[in-house]
């Protein structure tokens, strides 16, 4: 019996050692039987795993304290500095100029993870400075990459405005060494506008410091020319209207020098199709051999249909013709007194000459109001010669150039941009009373006619 018990005891010891990880022997009546050697898995007295003392019978040894392993935070990425940004951007550009792989260059810049608007603006300025003295191909590629970065929201539009403004701060100095700078910078600006990264609205601000010296003229011209390469004239005019872009505020001399500017950059004439047309109309009107129909035909041949139907053109036409009609009266008579009958007859004769033209271009109430506004303008410019307003209104009314409705619309029209409304109304007071009474009487007669016919 002792041999059997000894074998079993040895076996129990071996099993205890195996279960206890090499610890002391497990007692048949001891708790858990993990052995004194700190084994990981405990067993009950019957040899089964202790499922109440940890997951899947796992128990802790009295001699093995719990170790808590803290997860180490990933090391912070070094902050992107302007020096590193320039270094990486320069390397990317040099490789891009050679391989012309836009996708690869884009990914390289994207990996820099710029999260600072100042860094974005710095990158824009760095690209422009790096490319401006490079080859034409490099200047194009640099802008290709910038626009790709903007289109994918790696860069944002404020960065373009800030970076470009900084670049243009050195424009006049750069012009000395880079004669092509207006073309280079204008092309970049035009491409940014076409891609909706920028707009024409900002051009005035960008070039404000260049207007007085005249450096802005060529730059703005190249911006518009670049747009013309990718868009039609109608689209560009629409952009100008939407942005309320006034070319005259971006060039030296403003509106006074606009004709000269358009003569130099004739391909941009579509923006102001009516510039200079007043002088050409005056030549036609002062030629005694030109008939009304010939003048109408001249307009059709020399002014685009869209421009000729605009209120601006109607205004110019009426102003030119009215000046020819009253010129002699203003220059030769005493404007403080009623003119001699000869002057009045001459005015009426000249007005009758151009009635077909007025009726052709002033065919509705809106354009007739324009006619009356130009009468007001011409009279105000001549310091309101006595009786002129009343004569022109009355003759135009009698010759069916204007209607009662147009006159009333003119009375109510807010024409602050044309001086002399108050004085005009004062001079026309008696005539307006007559017109309203005559109109009232004619309406009354019209109402009586049906009764009379019965």
């Amino acid at each position: 019996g002792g041999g059997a018990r000894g074998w079993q005891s040895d076996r129990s010891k071996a099993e205890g050692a195996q279960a206890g990880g090499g610890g002391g022997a497990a007692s048949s009546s001891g708790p858990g039987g993990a052995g004194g050697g700190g084994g990981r898995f405990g067993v009950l007295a019957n040899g089964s795993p202790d499922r109440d003392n940890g997951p899947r019978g796992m128990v802790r040894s009295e001699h093995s304290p719990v170790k808590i392993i803290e997860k180490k935070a990933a090391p912070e990425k070094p902050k992107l500095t302007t020096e590193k940004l320039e270094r990486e951007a320069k390397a990317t550009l040099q490789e891009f100029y050679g391989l012309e792989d836009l996708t690869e260059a884009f990914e390289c810049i994207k990996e820099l993870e710029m999260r600072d608007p100042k860094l974005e603006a710095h990158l824009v300025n760095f690209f422009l400075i790096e490319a401006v003295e490079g080859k034409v191909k490099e200047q194009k590629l640099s802008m290709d990459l910038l626009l790709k970065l903007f289109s994918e929201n790696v860069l944002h539009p404020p960065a373009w405005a800030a970076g470009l403004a900084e670049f243009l701060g050195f424009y006049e100095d750069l012009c000395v060494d880079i004669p092509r700078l207006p073309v280079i910078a204008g092309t970049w600006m035009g491409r940014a506008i076409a891609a909706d990264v920028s707009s024409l609205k900002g051009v005035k601000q960008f070039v404000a410091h260049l207007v007085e010296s005249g450096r802005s003229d060529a730059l703005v011209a190249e911006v518009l020319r670049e747009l013309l390469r990718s868009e039609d004239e109608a689209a560009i005019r629409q952009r100008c209207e939407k942005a309320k872009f006034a070319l005259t505020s971006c060039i030296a001399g403003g509106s006074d020098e606009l004709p000269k500017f358009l003569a130099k950059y004739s391909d941009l004439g579509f923006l102001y199709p009516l510039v200079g047309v007043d002088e050409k109309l005056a030549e036609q009107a002062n030629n005694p051999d030109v008939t009304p129909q010939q003048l109408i035909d001249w307009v059709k041949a020399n002014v685009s249909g869209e421009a000729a139907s605009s209120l601006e053109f109607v205004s110019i036409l009426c102003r030119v013709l009215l000046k020819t009609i009253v010129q002699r009266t203003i220059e030769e008579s005493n404007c403080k007194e009623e003119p001699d009958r000869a002057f009045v007859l001459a005015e009426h004769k000249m007005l009758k000459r151009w009635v077909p033209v007025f009726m052709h271009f002033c065919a509705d109430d809106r354009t007739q109001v324009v006619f009356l506004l130009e009468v007001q303008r011409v009279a105000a410019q001549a310091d309101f010669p006595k009786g002129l307003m009343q004569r022109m209104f009355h003759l135009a009314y009698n010759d069916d150039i204007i209607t009662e409705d147009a006159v009333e619309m003119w009375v109510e029209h807010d024409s602050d941009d044309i001086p002399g409304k108050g004085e005009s109304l004062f001079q026309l007071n008696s005539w307006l009373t007559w017109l309203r009474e005559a109109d009232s009487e004619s309406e009354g007669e019209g109402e009586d006619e049906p009764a009379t016919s019965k």
Side-chain angles (χ1 to χ4, degrees):
R5 283 194 298 270
W7 176 83
Q8 287 178 340
S9 177
D10 292 340
R11 183 180 177 186
S12 297
K13 290 179 181 179
E15 288 175 351
Q18 183 178 5
S27 169
S28 61
S29 60
R40 294 179 60 199
F41 297 100
V43 293
L44 299 176
N46 62 3
S48 62
D50 182 3
R51 301 187 184 278
D52 296 325
N53 208 359
R56 298 186 181 178
M58 188 177 291
V59 296
R60 300 186 184 93
S61 168
E62 295 175 0
H63 307 289
S64 301
V66 176
K67 293 183 179 180
I68 299 175
I69 302 175
E70 295 183 0
K71 184 178 180 180
K72 294 183 179 179
E76 290 187 8
K77 191 172 182 178
K79 185 178 180 180
L80 182 62
T81 63
T82 55
E83 292 78 11
K84 182 179 180 181
L85 177 65
E86 289 184 7
R87 187 168 60 251
E88 296 291 337
K90 188 177 184 71
T92 299
L93 282 175
Q94 289 176 345
E95 184 176 350
F96 182 40
Y97 292 158
L99 300 178
E100 298 186 29
D101 188 338
L102 181 60
T103 302
E104 178 64 25
F106 166 77
E107 292 296 335
C108 289
I109 299 298
K110 182 181 179 182
E111 288 174 2
L112 296 176
E113 296 184 1
M114 290 170 289
R115 294 186 176 91
D116 185 347
K118 291 182 179 178
L119 286 178
E120 291 186 26
H122 189 82
L123 181 71
V124 171
N125 181 57
F126 181 78
F127 267 45
L128 302 183
I129 291 292
E130 283 291 300
V132 72
E133 294 191 73
K135 299 176 182 177
V136 174
K137 183 187 82 168
E138 295 170 353
Q139 291 158 1
K140 177 185 179 300
L141 289 173
S142 294
M143 196 62 193
D144 288 345
L145 180 51
L146 277 176
L147 293 180
K148 174 72 173 175
L149 291 166
F150 280 110
S151 69
E152 298 293 336
N153 294 319
V154 174
L155 295 178
H156 302 87
W160 171 258
L164 177 65
E166 186 177 356
F167 171 77
L168 292 178
F170 302 98
Y171 185 88
E172 296 199 71
D173 293 332
L174 290 171
C175 274
V176 176
D177 299 320
I178 310 173
R180 289 188 66 255
L181 186 59
V183 176
I184 298 168
T187 299
W188 286 338
M189 292 169 68
R191 290 189 64 188
I193 293 169
D196 291 326
V197 173
S198 184
S199 77
L200 281 169
K201 188 176 183 179
V203 172
K204 178 182 177 180
Q205 182 180 352
F206 289 137
V207 305
H209 63 296
L210 305 173
V211 172
E212 186 175 354
S213 66
R215 294 279 193 187
S216 62
D217 288 22
L219 178 58
V220 173
E222 294 303 332
V223 172
L224 295 169
R225 282 175 163 176
E226 177 58 31
L227 284 174
L228 196 55
R229 293 185 185 100
S230 59
E231 300 178 1
D232 59 30
E233 295 178 356
I236 297 174
R237 282 197 298 269
Q238 188 175 7
R239 277 189 182 274
C240 291
E241 292 173 6
K242 184 178 179 181
K244 297 181 180 179
F245 173 72
L247 178 59
T248 52
S249 65
C250 300
I251 62 175
S255 56
D256 291 340
E257 293 298 316
L258 182 60
K260 184 178 178 181
F261 176 91
L262 294 176
K264 184 175 182 179
Y265 304 103
S266 57
D267 52 334
L268 302 178
F270 70 94
L271 291 171
Y272 293 88
L274 299 178
V275 168
V277 75
D278 54 341
E279 296 177 0
K280 295 174 182 176
L281 279 171
E283 291 177 7
Q284 297 293 315
N286 288 315
N287 184 345
D289 296 329
V290 173
T291 66
Q293 187 57 50
Q294 286 174 330
L295 181 56
I296 293 171
D297 292 341
W298 181 91
V299 171
K300 290 179 180 178
N302 293 275
V303 182
S304 69
E306 183 180 353
S309 61
S310 68
L311 294 181
E312 183 183 1
F313 174 75
V314 175
S315 177
I316 293 171
L317 175 68
C318 292
R319 190 182 318 147
V320 168
L321 294 181
L322 285 167
K323 282 183 176 180
T324 64
I325 292 167
V326 301
Q327 182 177 5
R328 186 181 166 208
T329 303
I330 292 172
E331 292 178 353
E332 299 181 16
S333 69
N334 184 351
C335 292
K336 301 300 180 183
E337 299 178 359
E338 288 282 355
D340 292 341
R341 182 170 173 76
F343 289 108
V344 175
L345 292 175
E347 285 176 352
H348 196 190
K349 182 179 179 181
M350 288 287 287
L351 181 67
K352 276 190 168 295
R353 175 189 176 191
W354 298 121
V355 163
V357 177
F358 286 127
M359 295 185 72
H360 180 84
F361 290 100
C362 302
D364 56 30
D365 289 340
R366 273 194 331 144
T367 48
Q368 289 170 24
V369 170
V370 170
F371 171 89
L372 296 174
L373 287 171
E374 290 307 320
V375 173
Q376 174 186 328
R377 187 198 302 273
V378 169
Q381 288 175 346
D383 197 22
F384 287 100
K386 190 170 182 179
L388 180 62
M389 286 292 297
Q390 185 167 316
R391 288 198 306 276
M392 287 298 104
F393 270 60
H394 188 68
L395 291 174
Y397 177 71
N398 279 347
D399 289 337
D400 295 325
I401 296 173
I402 58 174
T403 64
E404 294 92 335
D405 289 341
V407 173
E408 293 300 338
M409 287 173 65
W410 170 82
V411 171
E412 299 297 328
H413 189 273
D414 182 11
S415 53
D416 290 341
D417 57 326
I418 301 176
K421 185 62 174 285
E423 179 63 23
S424 298
L425 289 171
F426 176 76
Q427 291 202 8
L428 288 167
N429 184 49
S430 60
W431 185 81
L432 289 172
T433 301
W434 169 84
L435 178 67
R436 289 161 181 162
E437 290 176 351
D439 187 40
S440 177
E441 289 176 4
S442 64
E443 288 180 357
E445 291 174 1
E447 292 174 358
D448 293 340
E449 285 177 6
T452 305
S453 61
K454 285 183 180 180

